[in-house]
Amino acid sequence: MNFVFVGGDVSVDFSNTIKIVNGSKTDLLASPSSLYNWTQQLELDIPYESLDVNFQYFKSLRNLIHNCFQDFAYKRKINKEHLNKFNDFIRQFDIHPNILPGLPMFPSLSYESKQIDSPLLHHIVKSFLDVITDEYTLDRLKPCENDECVLLFVDKSKNKARRWCSMTTCGNKIKASRFYYRKR
């Protein structure tokens, strides 16, 4: 699978496992092994068995996150129904915050659940909550300007001028097309 990591945040990259391939929307997380490959490309050391056992939960979480991010990126508002479904998901599995001692003196926040033993799933939940509850980051969540692309990214440029998920993929394609039509 050709995963892309252009989102600037693990939850955005997780959402980007739904992308356009050969003109149609494609789910890149078709199996536990594809989820395992995604984690390997992120250089995360997650046992395959953990991903296999929790695969359907990962797919559900990814779809919930994808819907919320798509809402905000295109409409600048998250559908209340999508947020309620996400809240139902974290309630169903009793995913809750846990404050850990930090280095050197600041505590850090993580999430855990007694029902799902998956640090990756909890990390993705935390990442998603960090994005949607931080006005600065959420305001910079953007869709690629290529109409044939559904990928999202957090624009970390100084002046919020980033337009493409990737300059080499979408940006170059659009610029070359515009150049071609200008020269005709």
Side-chain angles (χ1 to χ4, degrees):
M1 279 299 143
N2 291 334
F3 295 109
V4 292
F5 299 95
V6 296
D9 180 89
V10 71
S11 63
V12 178
D13 286 331
F14 192 54
S15 172
N16 285 342
T17 59
I18 296 174
K19 71 178 206 174
I20 301 292
V21 177
N22 297 326
S24 61
K25 208 177 236 191
T26 304
D27 182 355
L28 299 180
L29 296 182
S31 67
S33 61
S34 58
L35 177 58
Y36 180 74
N37 291 337
W38 182 79
T39 64
Q40 292 300 293
Q41 289 183 30
L42 276 174
E43 298 179 356
L44 299 173
D45 186 24
I46 308 293
Y48 177 83
E49 297 75 26
S50 169
L51 300 175
D52 188 29
V53 168
N54 297 307
F55 181 66
Q56 289 308 316
Y57 303 137
F58 278 102
K59 291 266 294 201
S60 296
L61 178 62
R62 190 277 316 272
N63 292 339
L64 293 168
I65 289 172
H66 184 76
N67 289 339
C68 290
F69 281 161
Q70 291 286 317
D71 285 347
F72 194 82
Y74 288 99
K75 300 174 193 160
R76 304 317 285 173
K77 182 178 179 183
I78 300 175
N79 182 317
K80 191 182 253 184
E81 182 181 325
H82 291 151
L83 284 177
N84 288 339
K85 286 180 180 180
F86 178 82
N87 287 329
D88 290 344
F89 180 89
I90 60 175
R91 263 190 232 105
Q92 176 185 357
F93 298 109
D94 192 27
I95 299 171
H96 56 275
N98 186 25
I99 298 175
L100 304 170
L103 299 174
M105 64 179 128
F106 297 103
S108 64
L109 184 64
S110 71
Y111 286 80
E112 59 184 35
S113 167
K114 291 180 179 140
Q115 296 177 21
I116 300 177
D117 182 24
S118 175
L120 176 62
L121 190 129
H122 303 142
H123 178 67
I124 293 169
V125 166
K126 179 187 181 307
S127 171
F128 172 71
L129 292 172
D130 288 346
V131 170
I132 68 165
T133 59
D134 179 42
E135 187 177 333
Y136 177 83
T137 304
L138 190 59
D139 185 51
R140 289 174 171 268
L141 181 68
K142 294 179 172 182
C144 179
E145 287 190 18
N146 180 356
D147 293 336
E148 298 172 8
C149 183
V150 294
L151 298 181
L152 304 175
F153 57 88
V154 176
D155 183 355
K156 295 182 179 181
S157 67
K158 201 180 253 188
N159 60 357
K160 286 177 51 173
R162 183 173 166 190
R163 300 173 59 196
W164 321 107
C165 63
S166 166
M167 193 60 204
T168 57
T169 309
C170 291
N172 194 39
K173 191 185 300 183
I174 299 298
K175 286 184 172 191
S177 176
R178 287 181 184 155
F179 178 79
Y180 171 77
Y181 285 109
R182 271 198 312 263
K183 293 297 178 185
R184 277 183 28 173

